[in-house]
Amino acid sequence: LNPWDVMLCVSGTAIACENALVVAIICYSPTLRTPMFVLVGSLATADLLAGLGLILNFVFQYVIRSETVSLLTVGFLVASFAASVSSLLAITVDRYLSLYNALTYYSERTVLCIHTMLAGAWGVSLCLGLLPVLGWNCLHDHAACSVVRPLTKSNVTLLSASFFLIFLIMLHLYIEICKIVCRHAHQIALQQHFLTASHYVTTKKGVSTLAIILGTFGASWLPFAIYCVVGDPDYPSVYTYATLLPATYNSMINPIIYAYRNQEIQRSMWVLFCDCFQAKVSFRSRSPSDV
């Protein structure tokens, strides 16, 4: 057994378990039907499928050796991870809209916008996943292979370019979110005629959290995306594994950042598993702009 494949399988198992819990909580709780939780559910579903894809890839690689199965598994993984990254972009857009259009955010138009974004994200992800299955692979032309077999160089270049574009859009939106947060803190300070320590701490905490979210996303995926562009299929496969494994960790961290920190999901978790939630315990409802 290749130890790197074992680590990917273990990573996929942890990812599947974490995100299956999030999906179960959101499906179980009728109160978690807002656009924000729909987006979190989409992200958890994509990461859940990615985890299952890593497990299936390991099983089929060592149990059922077939070119067709290999293409299906790779296509499944591409679609799942693409849906995960696209869902992260949709969550970022939602957070920006909740601050930029705070007065009109809770409206029918927002719900339609969220559903449209998700439909587009999953549609594009499905198309990207079908490309290897429909013939964009290097099974019969090894010279066209990329560092991720059986994907072609042009295929991984397209995927990497899409990631770079999404990363830049998220970076721009988070910078705009930081500007809005700082502007709101300044306006509150002017109304109260002074900037209190709590305003400074809250603003600094919000900006730091945004930096952690974007930094985690970039640190997980950027090495793999860059290596897909500059790497050569003749390089040792350990380079591919060493950059791919951290990318999978992003799907392991997403539930912690976007789900388990949310107090409403924490409350639903108590109700679902312990049934020991007491009404006297207060939980503050959090909006998408809370980070």
Side-chain angles (χ1 to χ4, degrees), residues 31-261:
T31 57
L32 304 181
R33 296 291 186 270
T34 61
M36 176 182 66
F37 290 112
V38 171
L39 291 171
V40 173
S42 172
L43 175 62
T45 302
D47 287 333
L48 170 60
L49 295 177
L52 294 176
L54 290 173
I55 298 173
L56 292 175
N57 182 65
F58 177 82
V59 173
F60 291 136
Q61 186 174 355
Y62 289 97
V63 179
I64 304 175
R65 295 182 178 273
S66 169
E67 291 184 351
T68 303
V69 173
S70 175
L71 285 176
L72 290 174
T73 305
V74 170
F76 185 77
L77 283 171
V78 169
S80 301
F81 281 118
S84 176
V85 173
S86 300
S87 295
L88 286 174
L89 175 60
I91 290 176
T92 306
V93 173
D94 181 60
R95 285 181 168 177
Y96 173 75
L97 292 177
S98 68
L99 288 171
Y100 185 77
N101 296 322
L103 297 178
T104 60
Y105 176 78
Y106 295 98
S107 64
E108 296 289 338
R109 183 177 180 181
T110 300
V111 176
L112 178 61
C113 177
I114 296 300
H115 290 166
T116 302
M117 279 196 302
L118 287 181
W122 281 92
V124 172
S125 301
L126 180 61
C127 291
L128 291 175
L130 286 175
L131 290 178
V133 181
L134 296 178
W136 204 357
N137 58 71
C138 62
L139 292 179
H140 305 293
D141 184 12
H142 295 287
C145 280
S146 66
V147 294
V148 184
R149 295 180 177 87
L151 299 181
T152 64
K153 295 178 181 178
S154 55
N155 195 341
V156 297
T157 300
L158 172 63
L159 294 174
S160 298
S162 301
F163 168 80
F164 291 138
L165 177 61
I166 290 176
F167 181 77
L168 290 176
I169 294 175
M170 290 179 62
L171 176 62
H172 172 72
L173 289 176
Y174 273 129
I175 291 175
E176 293 300 318
I177 289 174
C178 288
K179 291 180 180 179
I180 295 174
V181 170
C182 294
R183 185 165 61 247
H184 285 179
H186 182 67
Q187 291 173 349
I188 294 174
L190 291 178
Q191 291 176 357
Q192 297 182 355
H193 304 293
F194 62 92
L195 181 62
T196 64
S198 61
H199 292 152
Y200 173 77
V201 171
T202 302
T203 304
K204 182 179 178 180
K205 181 180 178 181
V207 174
S208 299
T209 305
L210 291 175
I212 292 173
I213 291 174
L214 191 63
T216 301
F217 175 65
S220 299
W221 277 104
L222 275 176
F224 181 67
I226 294 174
Y227 182 69
C228 284
V229 176
V230 303
D232 188 273
D234 293 330
Y235 292 170
S237 60
V238 65
Y239 296 157
T240 302
Y241 284 112
T243 54
L244 176 60
L245 190 61
T248 65
Y249 291 159
N250 187 65
S251 296
M252 197 182 301
I253 298 173
N254 284 339
I256 300 174
I257 295 178
Y258 297 97
Y260 294 132
R261 291 174 61 248

